[in-house]
């Protein structure tokens, strides 16, 4: 980082999977890291894990689906590590079902956790970034936000929404020195994809030119690039990290 004072990076959903790899990559790049989990045990686990790697920072509990919980997180952050200069909106869930069978809760839960959360978290972090005239907002989308996927109309709608939000906010706050980008992973080896039936996993590999699932570290490397000075002139973009499975 060119700026000598370390900046704070807030990563939601840092207890496992892609978020954990992002927390590590940003920590190793010199950021102080605030990583979130949905439980206090998870938050403590993040604190311990960061300490083991000698990364400055801590774990915090938040439910990104709740205004109250996000407000509480921001207060806790403010009184401990300060205001984030980098926000990585990574927390996300799936509740897959064919539309005809999809319950309203399955739709709402996914939209609330994956999309409304981005509005909530970003709005909560924006003022200090605007004051500092520097900020990086990085939203984790998904390849299926562009390609679509049967059984995932709720999830695909949420991720397409994330990308529209990204483009719009990039235009809105570019003049304040804040970039807003999305990173759209393909199929990455995490708990989220661990439950894929074997037949489906085999069919999936046939659609990926690089013939393997991606690694969380390969997504984290792109987030790190966007957060550092190399990514300073990129805004409003969705960067795909999918082994070639979707080429627009
Ligand atoms: P994961 O392994 O299932 O982990 C999900 C993370 O989100 C966990 O840290 C979890 O916290 C947190 N989380 C879940 N609900 C939350 C809530 N309401 N409030 C706050 N945090 C919450 O997921 P992943 O595979 O790493 O996915 C991370 C992101 O990448 C998601 O946005 C996902 O849509 C996107 N993505 C993943 C893939 C893939 O192949 N894995 C592909 C494309 C996009 P707890 O540990 O406390 O539950």
């Amino acid at each position: 980082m060119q700026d000598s004072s370390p900046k704070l990076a807030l990563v939601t959903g840092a207890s496992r999977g892609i978020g954990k790899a992002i927390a590590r990559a940003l920590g190793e790049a010199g950021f102080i890291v605030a990583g979130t989990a949905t439980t206090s045990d998870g938050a403590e686990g993040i604190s311990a894990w960061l300490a083991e790697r000698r990364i400055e920072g801590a774990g915090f509990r938040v439910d990104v689906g709740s205004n109250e919980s996000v407000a509480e997180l921001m207060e806790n952050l403010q009184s401990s590590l300060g205001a984030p200069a980098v926000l990585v909106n990574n927390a996300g869930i799936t509740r897959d079902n064919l539309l005809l069978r999809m319950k309203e809760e399955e739709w709402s839960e996914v939209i609330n956790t994956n999309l409304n959360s981005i509005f909530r978290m970003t709005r909560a972090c924006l003022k200090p970034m605007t004051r500092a005239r520097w900020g990086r907002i990085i939203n984790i989308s998904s390849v299926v936000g562009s390609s679509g996927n049967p059984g995932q109309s709720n999830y695909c709608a949420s991720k397409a929404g994330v990308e529209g939000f990204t483009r719009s906010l990039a235009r809105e706050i570019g003049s304040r020195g804040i970039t807003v980008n999305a990173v759209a992973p393909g199929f990455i080896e995490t708990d989220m994809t661990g439950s894929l039936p074997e037949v489906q996993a085999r069919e999936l590999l046939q659609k990926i030119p690089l013939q393997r699932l991606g690694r969380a570290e390969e997504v984290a490397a792109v987030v790190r690039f966007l957060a550092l000075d190399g990514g300073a002139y990129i805004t409003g973009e969705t960067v795909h990290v999918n082994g070639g499975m979707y080429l627009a």
Side-chain angles (χ1 to χ4, degrees), residues 13-19 37-39 62-65 90-93 113 140-142 155 159 185-188 190-193:
S15 50
R16 50 203 166 90
I18 293 171
T38 56
T39 62
V62 76
D63 171 4
V64 295
N90 165 77
I93 57 165
T113 309
I140 306 303
S141 179
S142 168
Y155 184 76
K159 295 303 190 181
F187 283 83
I188 308 297
T190 69
D191 293 349
M192 198 178 261
T193 49

